[in-house]
Amino acid sequence: VNGFLAHTQRCPMSFQVNMVEPAEFEYQEMRVQLEAMEKQGVTSRLLDPVRRAEIEGYIRKVAAERPSQVPVEEIGRILPGSKWRLAFSTDSAVLGDLPPGAEVRLEFFDDNKVDYILNFAEKTLGLNRLVAKSNYVVGQRESNAGMVTFVIDEIVTDIFGFKNIGVGFFGLLKGKANIISTTFLDGRFWIERGFTAAGTDFINVYMRTEVMS
């Protein structure tokens, strides 16, 4: 009996419990799909609707169930010096208003300055790229934790071969405030959930590309 009791008392020490993060399968599927899109140079607009819906399902599951690795109230310490590329979107403005193959990037310089960049796969109205130079703030209160608000200060382009000519189109206007509402952030992915003017919800996923030197 003593031997049996001793054995049963030792058993818990011999088991290794592997804790699995919530929505781990969906996170890994999201990662694989978005990295494949990046490698192939495919934007959300160019995806087959069935595949787009599949990826959207993975992302929504991650956003709803997986705790943010970086607490949303602390994202202000992650953004300075980082670069991000919009890897996936269900926003109608991205899917419908931007030219096919257009790429959205964010470059954060410090705790105040950010460039919102549109790169075009082909020249659009003579443009190769458009940069909205902006100021940003990160919400610190409970009511707006994880909310990044950036206000456009200047819009510059390389239109018709001339750089740094201020313009306003694609909804990017000087003084306009744009908001990114964070639901999930880790070292690689930044998931935003927002609402259009019509009240339709959308999700955006930004992938970190590199740390600025």
Side-chain angles (χ1 to χ4, degrees):
V1 174
N2 290 337
F4 174 77
L5 290 175
H7 174 70
T8 55
Q9 290 170 350
R10 287 196 300 270
C11 281
M13 301 293 293
S14 65
F15 284 99
Q16 296 292 326
V17 179
N18 295 319
M19 301 299 293
V20 178
E21 289 279 354
E24 177 67 16
F25 171 80
E26 288 79 8
Y27 179 88
Q28 295 303 330
E29 285 295 319
M30 176 187 75
R31 178 186 62 79
V32 169
Q33 297 281 357
L34 296 185
E35 289 179 351
M37 287 174 60
E38 179 182 39
K39 185 176 181 179
Q40 297 166 14
V42 176
T43 63
S44 300
R45 182 173 179 176
L46 300 177
L47 285 174
D48 175 271
V50 174
R51 186 181 178 199
R52 186 189 303 133
E54 176 189 359
I55 298 173
E56 178 183 352
Y58 297 141
I59 296 168
R60 288 190 180 277
K61 186 81 168 180
V62 172
E65 298 186 8
R66 192 177 180 95
S68 182
Q69 183 173 322
V70 178
V72 294
E73 63 272 15
E74 297 180 14
I75 66 174
R77 65 180 174 84
I78 298 296
L79 296 180
S82 66
K83 294 183 179 182
W84 303 82
R85 182 183 65 83
L86 182 60
F88 184 88
S89 179
T90 65
D91 187 356
S92 58
V94 175
L95 296 177
D97 296 346
L98 293 179
E103 182 182 66
V104 177
R105 289 182 177 266
L106 293 170
E107 296 186 4
F108 292 86
F109 296 95
D110 51 30
D111 60 0
N112 178 250
K113 299 292 185 182
V114 59
D115 280 357
Y116 181 99
I117 303 167
L118 295 180
N119 289 323
F120 303 105
E122 298 180 358
K123 281 194 175 182
T124 301
L125 301 178
L127 282 167
N128 289 314
R129 76 197 308 249
L130 181 151
V131 180
K133 294 186 174 297
S134 309
N135 300 309
Y136 79 96
V137 295
V138 180
Q140 300 293 331
R141 299 189 302 274
E142 183 177 350
S143 60
N144 65 355
M147 184 179 293
V148 180
T149 303
F150 62 95
V151 178
I152 297 173
D153 181 56
E154 180 184 12
I155 300 175
V156 297
T157 75
D158 60 354
I159 193 168
F160 301 118
F162 295 93
K163 296 183 178 180
N164 300 335
I165 299 177
V167 298
F169 66 118
F170 293 125
L172 298 178
L173 299 172
K174 183 175 180 178
K176 180 180 179 181
N178 298 272
I179 296 173
I180 298 177
S181 297
T182 305
T183 60
F184 176 86
L185 177 68
D186 63 8
R188 181 61 166 155
F189 300 102
W190 180 10
I191 301 178
E192 164 196 14
R193 185 184 180 196
F195 293 86
T196 66
T200 304
D201 82 313
F202 65 86
I203 54 172
N204 288 329
V205 183
Y206 300 87
M207 290 177 63
R208 189 166 186 172
T209 58
E210 63 180 301
V211 177
M212 297 174 64
S213 58

